[in-house]
Structure formats: C-alpha cells, structure tokens
C-alpha cells in the first residue's frame, strides 16, 4: 500500500527533527507524527515499561493506515525495536547512534545520549559514552523557547564528561544519540566547534527511502502531507512548523 502513512514516533518533540530529515529525503510521502509527550522522557524509564508503552502507541498509530513506522527515538530503537517489531505487521525502522560509522572512519567520538541508551554502548579507545539524564526532559519542557535550555550546565554536571576532559581524551566527533538534542544542535555546534556533530537521522531517512523504493511502496503524491496525532498533537504541529522553517 503506497498510499499509507509513514508513521514517526518519539517520546515527544525530539522526533520532529527526524521528521524534517525524512521529509527532505521523501518529499512525496504522507507522514503521521505521534509524540507520547505526556509520558516523556523515555530515557530514564525501565525497558519493560518502554515495551508496554510502545506496543500501545504502535496500535494507536496503526489504526490510521500505516505502511512503515520510524522510531525517531534512539532510546526506543536500541532498547525495544527488536522486540516490538515481531508484533507489528509493517516494517519498523529506528534512529541509532552512528557509532559504527565513526569507528570505521577512524574517528574519536563522544556519544551523548539518554541513560537507557548509554547502557547499550561500551566505552572504547575511540568512543566515550556520556548519558545526560535530564537534557531531553529540559528540551521537552522548553519547547516554546529552546534558548532556555542550557547545554553547558548539563555538560558541567556530568561527572563522566568531566572525567573525560580531565583525562585529556581528544575527540573530533560528537554523536547526538538522542533526537531531542537535534532541536538544540546549534548549542552543540557552538560548544564543540570545530568538531563534527553527527546523528543517525539522515542515515535512517535514506534507509527508509531505499526500503520503500525496493518494495515498490514509495509514494508519488504531488503534495506532502504531515498529520499529527496524540494528546499533544497541536503543540507538536506548531513546533514542527518552527523546526522546518529553520535553515
Ligand atoms: N528522543 C528520544 C531519544 O532519541 C527520547 C528522549 C527521552 O524521552 O528521554 O532517545
């Protein structure tokens, strides 16, 4: 069914950043955004609860006629996607921190992410994993004025990050391992300049497009459609308009 929606799901507003990338890659599709804002943040919740919430939310989304689902949320991708996709009749994709890419390219990186995501990655010579336990929540709370989020304060209060600095770990790449961080990527750019700031969103967008193309499900609508559902649909729609209008 190439007329179905591509559903984009996150704990809240972080997936809007991914949605923007998906639209850039596939401008002739219909997108359905679901943010579980009332249950955000996900990053400090037990995996068992994330499984329950996700299955419930996927059911809600599926009722709208969906041909693919994207977990625009690293926390869901690394913790529950493998389990949940067994129960979903359409392909499910996720946004993952691109740690393998940096390793293959011989980069030295710091991965910033939620607590649940951090548990899935190990430090190595070329990768240091830093969870920022309150940053996604802070972004979610300050959706109306993202300049109120103070990235530096979160970095300063991270013991792990302070340790990395004191050990003089030299890194050239910063991995945004939480889609919420994309909404304040300007702060990451400013703070970590001239290092590369990367995330998994663009890769996922290309992967979804390639899958739909190969399976003959790529739509060719004249106009793009983006619909919002969920308890905070209107809030998410308004913020999305701001996000797309940013260069
Ligand atoms: N945006 C999500 C992620 O990429 C979840 C953040 C949260 O709700 O804690 O991990």
């Amino acid at each position: 069914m190439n007329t179905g929606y591509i559903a984009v799901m996150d704990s809240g507003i972080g997936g809007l950043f991914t949605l923007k990338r998906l639209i850039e890659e596939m401008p002739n599709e219909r997108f359905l955004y679901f943010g579980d804002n009332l249950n955000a943040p996900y990053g400090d919740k037990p995996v068992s609860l994330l499984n329950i919430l996700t299955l419930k939310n996927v059911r809600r989304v599926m009722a709208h006629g969906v041909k693919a689902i994207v977990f625009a949320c690293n926390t869901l991708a690394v913790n529950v996607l493998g389990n949940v996709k067994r129960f979903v009749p359409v392909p499910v994709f996720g946004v993952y921190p691109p740690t393998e890419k940096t390793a293959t390219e011989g980069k030295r990186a710091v991965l910033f992410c939620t607590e649940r995501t951090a548990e899935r990655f190990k430090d190595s010579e070329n990768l240091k994993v830093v969870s920022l336990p309150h940053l996604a929540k802070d972004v979610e709370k300050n959706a109306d004025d993202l300049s109120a989020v103070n990235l530096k304060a979160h970095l300063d209060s991270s013991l792990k990050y302070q340790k990395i600095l004191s050990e003089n770990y030299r890194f050239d790449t910063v991995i945004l391992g939480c889609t919420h961080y994309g909404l304040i990527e300007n702060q990451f750019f400013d703070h970590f300049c001239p290092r590369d700031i990367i995330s998994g969103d663009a890769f996922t967008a290309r992967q979804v497009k390639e899958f739909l193309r190969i399976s003959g499900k790529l739509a060719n609508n004249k106009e793009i459609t983006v619909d919002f559902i969920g308890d905070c649909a209107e809030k998410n729609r308004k913020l999305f308009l701001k996000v797309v209008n940013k260069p």
Side-chain angles (χ1 to χ4, degrees):
M1 144 172 100
N2 38 12
T3 53
Y5 279 113
I6 298 175
V8 181
M9 301 175 63
D10 181 41
S11 62
I13 62 174
L16 297 173
F17 180 73
T18 313
L19 177 60
K20 186 179 177 205
R21 294 278 174 275
L22 287 161
I23 291 173
E24 282 163 6
E25 196 64 48
M26 293 170 282
N28 305 103
E29 292 290 337
R30 296 170 66 223
F31 291 93
L32 182 70
Y33 190 85
F34 174 85
D36 193 10
N37 311 60
L38 298 186
N39 285 310
Y42 277 177
D44 59 357
K45 291 197 166 42
V47 173
S48 53
L49 179 55
L50 293 178
N51 269 296
I52 294 168
L53 287 174
T54 308
L55 281 170
K56 196 179 97 205
N57 293 336
V58 162
R59 227 172 281 135
R60 213 165 149 181
V61 157
M62 286 299 298
H64 292 263
V66 161
K67 64 179 175 183
I69 295 179
V70 180
F71 288 169
C73 172
N74 297 256
T75 306
L76 290 186
V78 301
N79 287 290
V80 309
L81 193 151
N83 176 41
V84 165
K85 73 175 181 191
R86 298 184 294 136
F87 304 103
V88 185
V90 297
V92 185
F93 300 86
V95 175
Y96 295 86
T99 53
E100 279 169 27
K101 181 177 182 300
T102 51
T104 345
E105 290 173 358
K107 302 267 173 64
R108 282 165 70 85
V110 177
L111 163 63
F112 292 105
C113 58
T114 66
E115 288 167 278
R116 273 307 80 71
T117 299
E119 288 164 2
R120 298 285 173 158
F121 293 87
K122 281 199 172 65
D123 278 359
S124 67
E125 205 190 317
N126 294 311
L127 179 72
K128 301 294 171 216
V129 183
V130 177
S131 75
L132 297 173
H134 309 295
L135 183 54
K137 190 175 177 184
D138 202 4
V139 170
E140 189 72 36
K141 199 179 74 195
N142 289 294
D144 289 338
D145 178 16
L146 290 166
S147 66
V149 180
N150 185 344
L151 171 65
K152 188 173 177 308
H154 288 270
L155 296 172
D156 288 348
S157 62
S158 161
L159 293 180
K160 173 79 180 278
Y161 183 59
Q162 295 311 314
K163 183 166 175 273
I164 289 169
L165 291 183
S166 69
E167 286 169 352
N168 222 0
Y169 172 71
R170 292 187 189 283
F171 57 101
D172 48 36
T173 305
V174 168
I175 303 175
L176 305 186
C178 169
T179 51
H180 278 71
Y181 303 170
L183 295 171
I184 53 156
E185 68 173 352
N186 57 334
Q187 290 199 38
F188 278 92
F189 280 119
D190 288 349
H191 189 89
F192 290 103
C193 179
R195 297 175 178 93
D196 278 346
I197 310 291
I198 63 168
S199 66
D201 306 85
F203 175 81
T204 304
R206 286 196 298 274
Q207 192 191 25
V208 175
K209 182 180 182 181
E210 188 57 8
F211 173 84
L212 293 176
R213 193 186 62 75
I214 289 171
S215 53
K217 289 183 179 155
L218 209 53
N220 196 15
N221 301 315
K222 282 215 178 68
E223 284 186 8
I224 184 135
T225 312
V226 188
D227 290 323
F228 292 82
I229 57 166
D231 301 314
C232 298
E234 198 45 30
K235 165 187 165 169
N236 293 337
R237 193 185 64 79
K238 280 197 186 126
L239 181 60
F240 179 66
L241 294 177
K242 267 202 218 164
V243 171
V244 279
N245 289 328
K246 251 182 28 186

